[in-house]
Amino acid sequence: MALLQILKDGDELLRKTSRPVEEITPRITTLLDDMVETMREANGCGLAAPQVGVLRRVVVVECSPGKVYELINPVIVATKGKQNEIEGCLSIPGKNGITERPMYVTVEALDRNGKKKRYKGEGLLARAFCHEIDHLDGILFTDKALHMLTPEELKEYYEEE
Ligand code: ZN
């Protein structure tokens, strides 16, 4: 496995639309492994392939330690409710904002064996699914943020935790 370089906001690759994976080759499974390692190293709870410069519809999410979702060609097929919570992004270090996301989402994706799976996410997991899938269409959370947090607000937020 290898650590990949995470592109930062301003890199034009982050604004491109990623192409679907047509065939799950060893290159794709290696990409999944490397993305999980890179996400963990960066203390993130999700990473999308375009963030490491690969314009393919591939996402990894790990909101609770050990529970890894590997999503190939993910599609959100249902949503319910809403939540306004703080969001950040490994490609936009040091910035956080409030975004509105569904409280529940259902995602359909292929796993690394090419099997179609359905996953349900609630709360943070729902948010992570939406955030990472947005990356595949060149959308960053700052595009959707209702409000970006000031350094003072951010400090207050973490003190309340
Ligand atoms: Zn992100």
Side-chain angles (χ1 to χ4, degrees), residues 66-142:
K67 183 72 188 141
V68 176
Y69 295 86
E70 297 177 336
L71 311 176
I72 299 170
N73 300 341
V75 178
I76 293 172
V77 293
T79 66
K80 206 175 101 185
K82 61 177 183 178
Q83 54 172 329
N84 288 4
E85 286 293 339
I86 289 191
E87 215 162 292
C89 180
L90 292 176
S91 294
I92 314 174
K95 288 199 179 170
N96 293 86
I98 310 277
T99 50
E100 183 179 305
R101 301 284 190 186
M103 182 55 90
Y104 304 90
V105 303
T106 306
V107 175
E108 258 182 24
L110 299 178
D111 68 9
R112 62 165 62 212
N113 301 309
K115 206 169 166 219
K116 193 181 252 190
K117 293 269 182 74
R118 214 166 234 251
Y119 304 103
K120 284 183 191 295
E122 179 185 343
L124 176 61
L125 184 57
R127 202 137 35 88
F129 283 155
C130 294
H131 176 117
E132 300 310 331
I133 292 170
D134 270 354
H135 272 299
L136 305 180
D137 293 311
I139 299 166
L140 302 177
F141 86 93
T142 43

Side-chain angles (χ1 to χ4, degrees), residues 149-156:
L149 270 68
T150 63
E152 292 74 31
E153 286 172 322
L154 203 58
K155 193 163 168 264
E156 243 169 65

